């Protein structure tokens, strides 16, 4: 009999990932063959399904599992979860056909309210045993950043009706939302799970060190938003604030990675070899993310990224398909919320790595004016197809009855 618990919650999240990956392939096909669809509308559907379907549902499910230690979902949570999925399905079936219009805006707004209710549920009901832990402080901050990021979508409506889409405030509101999703809600949420792992493996992160890390990280996250304003040629103080944000983030992650390296043998001993490999790959991708973000503190690279869409897409996919998604797969496998096949994982990793190489290759070719091979787009479609194939494989494995 069908029973809605946290494992089903997780499977639904992965199905959204499969849908998002399929829409991604459709976007690639626009450059290969005529497609009877609106490209911009498909982009909206793809991005919303990926960020709000896969990442949001997977990360919120993991947070629930850490704080409540059960896979059974209480009625209040079920109502929030069901309303969230109604909003997600509404977006999946409206964005491809109308883009941002009445129906999709209604469901997007419903999703925002569902995220607020989820945040309220977690903050009100988390057991006292978790409330003063390091991992809960990170998770709580992540949830508040998620709520804070929604200022961007709320502002869009007012900006579109008054200033229009050509206003710099239109793009800035989108960048505000994406910054506090990618670099705050996703990042701190994942770090919260990492610190939970530290506690489970009895790795002591000294309170004084954690306090320093926490403040460096949060001030860095907030100030690094100003990197997203460089394209407007803002007052020089904005460049200073953005650069300071990067320095604070570098200091925070230097401290964190130093701790991880000091304790790598304990981490390796406390995890299965497969989960340890996923953690290690995720760490490498996080270093790459920090490096690319740091480059944009220099006006030359900020301007280059703004003018070259391939570099932006490469970075966003590096964070979403790489760092965030691999971290989520690793955590879900570690918590036994899914069964993750090594072959499916490495197939996914291959699709991600090769497609990233191709995306950045195109960016460099356009930047430097180098020759461009004609079969590029077809090869990119075929390589990118490895991602939905791998995700579908994972879904199939987890649809089998538990042995």
């Amino acid at each position: 009999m069908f029973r809605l618990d946290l494992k089903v919650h997780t499977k639904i999240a992965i199905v959204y990932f499969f849908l998002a990956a399929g829409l991604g392939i459709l976007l690639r096909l626009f450059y290969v063959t005529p497609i009877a669809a609106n490209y911009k509308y498909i982009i909206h559907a793809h991005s919303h399904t990926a960020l709000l379907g896969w990442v949001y549902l997977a990360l919120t499910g993991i947070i629930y599992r850490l704080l409540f230690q059960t896979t059974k979902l209480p009625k209040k949570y079920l109502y929030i979860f069901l309303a969230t999925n109604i909003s997600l399905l509404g977006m999946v079936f409206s964005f491809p056909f109308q883009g941002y219009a009445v129906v999709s805006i209604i469901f997007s707004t419903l999703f925002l309210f569902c995220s607020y209710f989820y945040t309220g549920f977690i903050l009100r009901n988390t057991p006292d045993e978790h409330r003063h832990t390091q991992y809960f402080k990170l998770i709580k901050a992540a949830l508040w950043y998620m709520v804070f990021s929604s200022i961007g979508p709320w502002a869009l409506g007012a900006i579109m009706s008054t200033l229009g889409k050509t206003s710099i405030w239109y793009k800035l509101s989108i960048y505000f939302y994406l910054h506090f999703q990618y670099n705050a809600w996703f990042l701190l949420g994942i770090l919260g799970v990492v610190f939970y792992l530290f506690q489970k493996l009895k790795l002591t992160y000294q309170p004084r060190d954690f306090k320093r890390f926490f403040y460096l990280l949060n001030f860095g996250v907030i100030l690094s938003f100003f990197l997203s304003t460089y394209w407007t040629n803002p007052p020089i103080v904005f460049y200073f604030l953005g650069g300071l944000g990067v320095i604070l983030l570098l200091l925070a992650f230097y401290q964190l990675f130093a701790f991880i390296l000091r304790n790598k043998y304990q981490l390796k001993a406390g995890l299965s070899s497969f989960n340890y490999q996923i953690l290690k790959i995720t760490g490498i991708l996080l270093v790459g993310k920090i490096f690319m973000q740091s480059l944009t503190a220099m006006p030359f690279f900020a301007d280059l990224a703004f003018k070259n869409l391939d570099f932006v897409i490469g970075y966003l996919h590096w964070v979403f398909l790489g760092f965030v998604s691999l971290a989520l797969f690793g955590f879900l496998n570690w918590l036994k919320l899914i069964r993750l096949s090594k072959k499916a994982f490495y197939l996914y990793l291959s699709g991600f790595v090769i497609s990233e190489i191709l995306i950045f290759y195109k960016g460099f070719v356009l930047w430097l004016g180098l020759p461009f091979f004609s079969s590029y787009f077809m090869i990119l479609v075929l390589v990118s197809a490895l991602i939905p194939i791998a995700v579908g494989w994972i879904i199939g494995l987890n649809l089998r009855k538990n042995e």
Side-chain angles (χ1 to χ4, degrees), residues 237-263:
V237 66
F238 282 49
Y239 291 96
F240 170 77
L241 293 172
L244 179 60
V246 165
I247 291 170
L248 295 177
L249 287 174
L250 289 172
L251 291 171
F253 283 107
Y254 173 80
Q255 180 182 320
L256 176 63
F257 281 112
F259 176 82
I260 291 172
L261 290 173
R262 286 197 304 270
N263 294 277

Side-chain angles (χ1 to χ4, degrees), residues 5-7 9-10 13 54-71 73 77 81 118 122 185 193 328 332 335 337:
D5 61 10
L6 202 54
K7 290 188 177 181
H9 182 308
T10 301
W54 158 236
V55 177
Y56 175 86
L57 286 186
L59 188 52
T60 54
I62 289 169
I63 289 171
Y64 178 90
R65 173 67 178 80
L66 300 188
L67 300 179
F68 298 96
Q69 303 294 308
T70 178
T71 60
L73 302 174
Y77 187 95
F81 180 72
Y118 173 86
I122 295 296
W185 154 228
V193 185
L328 293 176
L332 291 170
L335 294 167
L337 291 175

Side-chain angles (χ1 to χ4, degrees), residues 111-129:
F111 179 88
L112 291 179
F113 283 113
C114 290
S115 70
Y116 300 158
F117 284 122
Y118 173 86
T119 300
F121 175 88
I122 295 296
L123 297 180
R124 282 196 304 269
N125 296 292
T126 295
D128 290 338
E129 65 190 90

Side-chain angles (χ1 to χ4, degrees), residues 25 39 41 50 58 62 109 124 135 164 196 204 229 255 287 292 327 331 340 380 385:
I25 298 301
Y39 184 80
Y41 293 175
I62 289 169
T109 304
R124 282 196 304 269
Y135 58 82
Y196 178 88
T204 304
T229 69
Q255 180 182 320
V287 170
M292 285 187 276
F331 295 147
L340 186 60
L380 184 59

Side-chain angles (χ1 to χ4, degrees), residues 33-53:
T33 186
I35 303 290
N38 186 298
Y39 184 80
K40 287 187 177 180
Y41 293 175
I42 302 299
I43 287 179
H44 294 322
H46 169 67
S47 60
H48 282 76
T49 306
L51 300 183
L52 308 183

